[in-house]
């Protein structure tokens, strides 16, 4: 176990960290939010932050490093006041994401994963953020700015640098990278209902589905409907063996492949009962 981490910056984090740890049955399960808490304090996961997490969770520094270096949302260098991520994954790229990134790099005078000299913006190309229906997408402090162009992105970063209040396409006004990190650590700021949430493009498929159901052109499925999960005998929940989209029976499919049997867990099966008793994956 690591030695206690000294320093005022981390002293006042201890109470918050203990609050996070208390939410989980095992302390080590709190590692991801604790790393966000460290980033909220220092703007990145420093060596000292790694030691802090290791000490509180009873892990080695190497174990914490392994996690912090695996996920790209944990930064190894200080992030500026705002983190600007330009999606350059497939759909955003073909609709202009690469041009947006190139324009911002030249406008800000930074390369990928670099911070402007005034410390205002860290620019990074990012992977798909599940907002392809609004491509090309720019994320600022992990809030969505939809349907961007090179020009709108330049105007966006200029407003961020000037300290103006900036409102994302969906979500509450930005408060900076560190404020978002504290949110991701699990300390809610009570602003979840501020600003627009889901946009029209994301909801279009649901409304088409509902309309078709109402017209009698579709059945099954439970998108947007409120049937209880336990609908009772004879009633379909819309999922799995009750009549939903998947009719596959895992018992039958396992039996069809004798070389790769994955039988269901039975109390009389020593391997599965042992796994369950030990709390492992069933
Ligand atoms: S490809 Fe950019 S959000 Fe999905």
């Amino acid at each position: 176990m690591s030695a206690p981490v000294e320093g005022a910056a981390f002293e006042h984090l201890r109470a918050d960290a203990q609050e996070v740890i208390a939410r989980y049955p095992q302390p080590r399960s709190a590692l991801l939010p604790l790393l966000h808490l460290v980033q909220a304090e220092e703007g990145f996961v420093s060596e000292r932050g790694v030691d802090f997490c290791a000490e509180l969770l009873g892990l080695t520094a190497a174990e914490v490093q392994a996690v912090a270096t695996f996920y790209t949302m944990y930064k190894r260098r200080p992030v500026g006041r705002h983190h600007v991520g330009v999606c350059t994954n497939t759909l955003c790229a073909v609709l202009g994401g690469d041009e947006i990134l190139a324009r911002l790099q030249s406008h800000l005078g930074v390369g990928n994963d670099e911070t402007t000299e005034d410390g205002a913006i860290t620019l990074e190309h990012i992977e798909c953020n599940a907002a392809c229906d609004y491509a090309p997408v720019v994320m600022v402090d992990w809030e969505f700015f939809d349907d961007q162009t090179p020009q709108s992105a330049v105007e966006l970063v200029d407003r961020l640098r000037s300290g103006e209040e900036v409102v994302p396409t969906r979500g509450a006004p930005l408060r900076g990278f560190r404020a978002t990190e504290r949110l991701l650590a699990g300390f809610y700021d009570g602003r979840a209902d501020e600003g627009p949430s889901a946009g029209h493009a994301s909801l279009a498929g649901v409304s088409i589905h509902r309309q078709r159901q109402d017209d009698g052109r579709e059945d099954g499925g439970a998108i947007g409907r409120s049937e209880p999960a336990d609908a009772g005998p004879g009633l379909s929940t819309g999922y799995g063996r009750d009549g939903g989209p998947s009719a596959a029976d895992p018992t039958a499919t396992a039996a069809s492949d004798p070389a790769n049997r994955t039988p269901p867990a039975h109390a009389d099966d020593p391997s599965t009962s042992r796994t369950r008793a030990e709390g492992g994956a069933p």
Side-chain angles (χ1 to χ4, degrees):
M1 180 141 82
S2 302
V5 175
E6 309 285 345
F10 286 97
E11 277 323 302
H12 76 266
L13 275 191
R14 285 183 184 276
D16 288 344
Q18 292 300 352
E19 187 182 326
V20 173
I21 294 167
R23 295 173 186 158
Y24 297 90
Q26 296 181 36
R28 63 187 297 141
S29 302
L31 178 54
L32 298 184
L34 273 199
L35 287 167
H36 283 299
L37 190 63
V38 164
Q39 286 202 139
E41 187 62 32
E42 297 200 302
F44 74 120
V45 179
S46 64
E47 292 296 321
R48 208 164 53 142
V50 167
D51 290 342
F52 178 73
C53 294
E55 176 212 330
L56 289 179
L57 302 178
L59 300 171
T60 65
E63 288 171 318
V64 177
Q65 292 271 19
V67 173
T69 54
F70 180 81
Y71 295 106
T72 56
M73 283 179 79
Y74 300 121
K75 306 302 178 191
R76 308 318 309 276
R77 289 183 290 180
V79 170
R81 204 162 67 243
H82 294 288
H83 175 269
V84 174
V86 181
C87 180
T88 53
N89 238 169
T90 312
L91 193 53
C92 285
V94 298
L95 290 174
D98 288 330
E99 285 81 7
I100 291 174
L101 180 65
R103 179 80 176 273
L104 287 184
Q105 286 180 329
S106 128
H107 182 70
L108 297 172
V110 295
N112 182 51
D113 205 16
E114 292 180 359
T115 302
T116 53
E117 275 180 13
D118 61 1
I121 308 274
T122 296
L123 182 65
E124 184 181 9
H125 81 88
I126 56 174
E127 305 300 330
C128 179
N129 266 260
C132 315
D133 36 4
Y134 302 100
V137 166
V138 171
M139 308 290 290
V140 181
D141 305 329
W142 304 117
E143 296 286 1
F144 292 104
F145 289 81
D146 303 332
D147 302 316
Q148 292 293 295
T149 65
Q151 186 54 34
S152 68
V154 163
E155 288 163 11
L156 171 60
V157 295
D158 285 349
R159 292 174 63 207
L160 292 171
R161 290 180 99 175
S162 72
E164 210 179 300
E165 181 178 87
V166 176
V167 182
T169 313
R170 291 169 279 142
L174 302 178
R175 286 190 173 168
F177 176 74
R178 294 191 188 195
T180 299
E181 286 303 308
R182 188 164 172 82
L183 198 58
L184 293 172
F187 293 93
Y188 299 111
D189 59 7
R191 304 190 309 140
D193 293 330
E194 282 185 30
S197 53
H200 172 73
S202 298
L203 298 174
V206 175
S207 42
I208 291 169
H209 174 73
R210 283 180 177 169
Q211 187 59 52
R212 287 185 174 176
Q213 275 190 315
D214 292 342
D215 294 349
R217 284 184 285 156
E218 276 185 13
D219 58 7
I223 300 170
R225 300 302 192 201
S226 56
E227 291 104 332
D230 180 12
L235 295 175
S236 170
T237 61
Y239 293 103
R241 293 185 214 179
D242 289 332
S246 173
D249 181 335
T251 314
T253 49
S256 70
D257 183 2
N260 294 287
R261 284 191 183 281
T262 51
H266 292 299
D268 57 354
D269 182 326
S271 64
T272 51
S273 60
R274 176 176 55 79
T275 302
R276 286 194 165 182
E278 290 174 352

